[in-house]
Amino acid sequence: MTVKRREFLGTTLAGAGALLAGCGGGGGGGPAMGAPNAGFGVSLSQGQPLKVLSKLANASSEPGRFSATVTAAPASLPLVEGRATSLWLYDGLLPGPVVDVREGDHVRIALVNGLPLDTTIHWHGLPVPPDQDGNPMDPVRPGATRVYEFDVPAGTAGTYWYHPHAHGTTAEQVSMGLAAPFIVRAADDPLAQVPEVTMLVTGIRLGANGQVSPDGPMDFSVGRQDGQLLVNGGWLPVHAVRPGETQRWRILNATSARYLRLALDGHAFTLVGTDGGLLAAPVGPLAEILVAPAQRVELLVTASTTPGARFTLRALRHPIDAMGVGTYATEDLLTVATTAGTPAAATAVPASLRPIEPPGPAVAQKRLVLTQSGMGMMGGMFGFLINGRPFDMSRVDLVSTVGEVEDWDIVNDTLMDHPIHIHGTQFRLVSRESRGQVAAAPYAAWLDTVDVPAGTSATIRVRQGLAGKRMVHCHILEHEDAGMMAVLEVRPK
Ligand code: C2O
Ligand code: CU
Ligand code: CU
């Protein structure tokens, strides 16, 4: 099957490119739009059963210890008929192996860098000490091995992920296949009895030669435009479910830039968890849920009681700029197929999940203004800035104190949406402001990434628990690499 060119790559975004690049003059249709996709149209096999992700094996037999080695290296997979696609993978797997640990565990993971360039592993969302968190300041050279070691504290149960964070090449490394889930479990998980499925969404874009196509001008402006969205490494996989069964889906958005506004035909979601784990109480039923790049959700989904039926999980149409010009078209992700046989008994959903303690009043404020520099011509490298400056890892941009609660106003003065991520902690959304209207966060949830749509601002309440340098950045990886990243130094009290 030939993949049709997506709306996003066609005329709709041509105008946006001009807007975003700040060189609007004349004729909206930019010359470079869609150029990186010139060879588009390779076929991937589709419709395979949803892959159950492999777990990273624990080499330690001591209770409370997780010890393993993971290798980042080139590998080839037969994604396209008759061709081998060269990728960069963790342990040869697309996606990489799941780290599955318990609260209280001590984790020790050795990274072997078999790549031809510097890499790191960043433990996205976890409160890992800064020197163990795979910051761009701590590159692991080609051929080198680096041991990361940290504790997974009580209260952190949730769905996280790991990926490279090398200076300037994060987007490339992730688009080549380096990403994997990291799940932390609690001994008293109120949903432990509910069957669960992990679904890691990534994107892939292959050229006519069957190889991953490099980022082009369009990708550098709005973030990488993937050819296909993959779930657990498969294109449009089929997930078989017993009719009437309730499952807990851990969905991770590990794409470079793709906003996933998820909906499942004929079904509603109950939201039970976000980036940092369970909510205080279930939220729903929801017809759809937006999962910005880097975010995760935990959903309860009760399958239709009709045996032998098929339903599509989709990423719905979603605009990513103020003008509504840059818009992701609706795209299918996965088929849910109910099996034959008698429906499963209904699962009772607990009315409360776990306490979410209020963080207390803020003792300091910060303001982060997101802008873009208009220096680039169409398709040129233009800058995405935080407080007027592009990333410089030798500079400290923001200073906080261990344990202090702060309110941050994140103001998006650009023409497109940015998912802003802070390392090392989970924060709370307090409110959002748009055109002078302030809306309080509808429910308490732990986040490490907050979407800040163009022309709006978000206020978050954040506290860092460990001293050292943390990254704050847009998780559209091309924006991060282009400079939309700041260094937060957390000082001891
Ligand atoms: Cu997902 Cu700076 O990271
Ligand atoms: Cu992170
Ligand atoms: Cu961005």
Side-chain angles (χ1 to χ4, degrees):
M1 169 180 172
T2 299
V3 180
K4 56 178 178 326
R5 268 172 89 82
R6 293 187 309 144
E7 180 183 357
F8 202 95
L9 300 173
T11 51
T12 51
L13 224 86
L19 276 172
L20 293 165
C23 67
M33 293 309 131
N37 307 290
F40 216 53
V42 282
S43 58
L44 287 173
S45 75
Q46 58 166 288
Q48 303 298 309
L50 177 69
K51 212 195 296 174
V52 175
L53 299 174
S54 335
K55 283 188 189 177
L56 186 63
N58 183 5
S60 171
S61 48
E62 266 182 75
R65 297 221 146 221
F66 182 91
S67 168
T69 298
V70 69
T71 302
S76 308
L77 290 183
L79 296 182
V80 176
E81 216 178 85
R83 290 202 191 88
T85 300
S86 305
L87 299 167
W88 292 342
L89 301 176
Y90 291 124
D91 289 356
L93 298 166
L94 178 70
V98 182
V99 178
D100 196 326
V101 299
R102 306 187 72 87
E103 287 183 347
D105 280 357
H106 181 79
V107 174
R108 186 180 190 280
I109 296 176
L111 164 67
V112 178
N113 183 6
L115 300 170
L117 76 180
D118 289 356
T119 193
T120 76
I121 292 185
H122 168 56
W123 314 99
H124 181 119
L126 286 159
V128 166
D131 61 352
Q132 304 299 313
D133 204 17
N135 279 337
M137 304 79 152
D138 304 315
V140 182
R141 305 293 182 202
T145 296
R146 153 84 211 237
V147 175
Y148 295 104
E149 202 160 359
F150 52 90
D151 293 313
V152 175
T156 51
T159 310
Y160 305 89
W161 58 302
Y162 62 98
H163 63 78
H165 221 301
H167 181 49
T169 62
T170 298
E172 180 188 15
Q173 294 192 36
V174 172
S175 71
M176 288 293 283
L178 293 167
F182 190 118
I183 294 175
V184 181
R185 298 179 190 280
D188 57 354
D189 183 345
L191 300 174
Q193 303 316 315
V194 182
E196 73 169 64
V197 183
T198 299
M199 300 179 183
L200 181 117
V201 182
T202 55
I204 194 163
R205 187 178 72 214
L206 303 177
N209 59 358
Q211 303 307 316
V212 174
S213 67
D215 272 355
M218 182 65 156
D219 304 307
F220 288 121
S221 64
V222 296
R224 185 172 176 86
Q225 300 305 296
D226 290 306
Q228 284 89 15
L229 292 173
L230 307 181
V231 186
N232 294 356
W235 186 32
L236 300 172
V238 178
H239 174 49
V241 187
R242 186 167 169 209
E245 180 172 293
T246 298
Q247 297 191 332
R248 175 192 203 169
W249 291 2
R250 297 179 188 262
I251 302 181
L252 300 90
N253 185 346
T255 67
S256 301
R258 183 41 156 116
Y259 283 77
L260 301 173
R261 193 181 135 217
L262 300 175
L264 175 60
D265 289 350
H267 291 75
F269 301 130
T270 300
L271 179 68
V272 292
T274 52
D275 298 342
L278 294 178
L279 305 178
V283 171
L286 302 172
E288 58 181 64
I289 180 126
L290 180 65
V291 189
Q295 288 188 322
R296 288 83 64 206
V297 286
E298 293 183 47
L299 304 174
L300 295 183
V301 180
T302 301
S304 161
T305 52
T306 309
R310 293 166 84 86
F311 305 91
T312 305
L313 176 69
R314 301 175 209 276
L316 301 177
R317 181 181 170 84
H318 183 73
I320 52 137
D321 71 26
M323 323 298 289
V325 199
T327 297
Y328 283 103
T330 297
E331 199 167 352
D332 295 352
L333 280 176
L334 161 148
T335 300
V336 173
T338 53
T339 54
T342 52
T347 303
V349 178
S352 64
L353 297 167
R354 68 159 177 184
I356 290 204
E357 309 292 348
V363 298
Q365 325 284 326
K366 282 187 174 45
R367 186 177 159 87
L368 274 72
V369 181
L370 314 176
T371 54
Q372 58 192 57
S373 67
M375 68 195 213
M377 287 308 289
M378 172 63 65
M381 298 286 284
F382 52 94
F384 293 96
L385 312 173
I386 298 179
N387 290 346
R389 301 197 286 200
F391 177 59
D392 176 349
M393 67 168 113
S394 64
R395 190 183 65 217
V396 169
D397 300 289
L398 304 159
V399 177
S400 295
T401 303
V402 167
E404 283 191 2
V405 177
E406 301 186 354
D407 276 351
W408 291 22
D409 291 326
I410 306 172
V411 181
N412 184 347
D413 269 351
T414 75
L415 292 166
M416 66 173 295
D417 304 355
H418 300 282
I420 300 299
H421 167 55
I422 305 177
H423 285 201
T425 192
Q426 295 288 321
F427 54 78
R428 298 265 295 268
L429 176 66
V430 175
S431 60
R432 293 181 176 282
E433 179 276 330
S434 174
R435 298 167 203 261
Q437 304 277 63
V438 178
Y443 47 83
W446 291 117
L447 300 174
D448 55 52
T449 305
V450 62
D451 183 38
V452 189
T456 73
S457 61
T459 300
I460 61 169
R461 187 155 291 182
V462 58
R463 179 183 161 277
Q464 290 281 354
L466 297 165
K469 286 181 180 165
R470 298 294 192 183
M471 319 311 295
V472 176
H473 62 90
C474 177
H475 221 287
I476 289 178
L477 300 178
E478 284 74 14
H479 294 179
E480 172 192 332
D481 284 343
M484 195 172 251
M485 178 151 63
V487 177
L488 166 71
E489 184 175 309
V490 183
R491 301 202 171 140
K493 203 164 171 75

